[in-house]
Amino acid sequence: MAGQTTLSRFVGKADLVKQGAEGRVYRAQFLGKPTIVKERFRKRYRHPVLDEKLTHRRTVQEVRSILRCRRAGISAPVVYFVDYTSHCIFMEEIAGSSTVRDHIVSTQQANSCKELELQQLAERIGRILAKMHDEDVIHGDLTTSNMLLRCSSQDTESDLVLIDFGLSYISSLPEDKGVDLYVLEKAFLSSHPNTNVLFEKLLQSYTKSSKKSPAVIKKLDEVRLRGRKRSMVG
């Protein structure tokens, strides 16, 4: 109980960044480092025992997905500390970064003939997602807002960091990976109109890089077809 009180006091002093349906995100200092704290709060409409089980499982899945990505060489936040009683994850704040969404929008608005640069970025995203899926990590909420470009201190390529694994889980099923790509495609094309060519570059890169891509792309096509049928039915 004392530990819980200390944690509540710590979170109370942190800056609230955003609150969603799944939890709250804070910015704080932890062990002298800039830290993002993600807290999953209780859902009062659910039975307390069921809510505790589901919330615990979600927290475990998020941490497991991040660690699995990092072990595979995929850039994701460092996890500093996890409190499974309060369902809080303390993780690295990706300083000096901007979202891929903002980068694409600003590059397009600049109208500076950087189409090749954006295509190369799309290919990098495809390679990283292929590696993630080959590790059987399903992100669950792939958008260009959940990908960060972290500036390098040297004159090298920016690091591409995947964030927000709150809906992630582990699965080897091509269906789950196809749905993951479909979610990204819908988010990508709604956030960045007239970028069909860019997304095709991303998929081509994914297909070349993943050992399991034929089955995944086949499932993606099936999911697209189901999506079109739902749209037609209304």
Side-chain angles (χ1 to χ4, degrees):
M1 183 66 73
Q4 183 70 21
T5 305
T6 304
L7 188 63
S8 301
R9 202 177 293 134
F10 175 86
V11 171
K13 292 178 181 176
D15 296 325
L16 181 65
V17 178
K18 68 175 181 178
Q19 177 167 332
E22 286 295 311
R24 302 181 188 92
V25 177
Y26 300 90
R27 182 178 284 113
Q29 287 281 323
F30 180 70
L31 301 177
K33 298 174 182 177
T35 301
I36 293 294
V37 182
K38 182 168 185 179
E39 176 194 27
R40 281 188 168 85
F41 47 71
R42 223 181 118 191
K43 307 289 192 308
R44 300 197 177 274
Y45 58 83
R46 287 199 297 229
H47 187 281
V49 175
L50 176 63
D51 181 68
E52 176 63 28
K53 282 185 178 178
L54 291 175
T55 306
H56 178 79
R57 186 190 304 162
R58 277 259 171 246
T59 305
V60 169
Q61 286 175 331
E62 181 167 4
V63 173
R64 185 178 293 156
S65 296
I66 292 172
L67 296 180
R68 190 176 278 216
C69 280
R70 288 187 58 81
R71 278 198 300 268
I74 299 164
S75 292
V78 177
V79 176
Y80 296 140
F81 175 70
V82 185
D83 186 281
Y84 288 110
T85 305
S86 63
H87 311 295
C88 283
I89 305 172
F90 291 64
M91 63 191 104
E92 172 191 16
E93 180 178 5
I94 310 301
S97 64
S98 60
T99 65
V100 167
R101 183 184 188 279
D102 288 346
H103 179 75
I104 293 175
V105 169
S106 61
T107 302
Q108 288 178 323
Q109 287 174 347
N111 195 23
S112 52
C113 301
K114 289 192 175 179
E115 187 62 28
L116 180 60
E117 180 192 312
L118 289 181
Q119 288 184 14
Q120 289 170 341
L121 174 59
E123 288 169 356
R124 280 176 67 198
I125 294 170
R127 288 194 298 272
I128 289 167
L129 297 185
K131 187 183 282 191
M132 181 184 78
H133 280 172
D134 281 358
E135 291 295 320
D136 292 336
V137 175
I138 311 300
H139 186 281
D141 189 21
L142 282 176
T143 69
T144 51
S145 294
N146 286 338
M147 302 173 191
L148 302 181
L149 287 171
R150 174 168 48 189
C151 297
S152 173
S153 53
Q154 290 130 4
D155 190 19
T156 56
E157 192 175 57
S158 296
D159 191 18
L160 199 149
V161 186
L162 298 182
I163 62 167
D164 204 349
F165 286 81
L167 298 177
S168 66
Y169 57 98
I170 308 301
S171 171
S172 60
L173 295 176
E175 168 86 12
D176 291 337
K177 296 170 188 180
V179 169
D180 220 19
L181 292 178
Y182 181 69
V183 168
L184 176 60
E185 181 177 38
K186 298 288 282 184
F188 195 101
L189 297 180
S190 64
S191 297
H192 313 289
N194 306 315
T195 54
N196 303 63
V197 173
L198 271 187
F199 193 78
E200 277 308 308
K201 284 282 181 189
L202 188 157
L203 277 187
Q204 287 167 15
S205 176
Y206 178 97
T207 302
K208 285 180 193 170
S209 305
S210 172
K211 304 164 195 164
K212 308 170 184 178
S213 63
V216 175
I217 299 300
K218 182 182 176 185
K219 285 296 180 183
L220 171 60
D221 289 336
E222 290 176 12
V223 173
R224 281 168 166 167
L225 186 60
R226 293 204 298 263
R228 282 197 292 271
K229 284 180 178 175
R230 277 198 298 270
S231 298
M232 289 167 66
V233 170

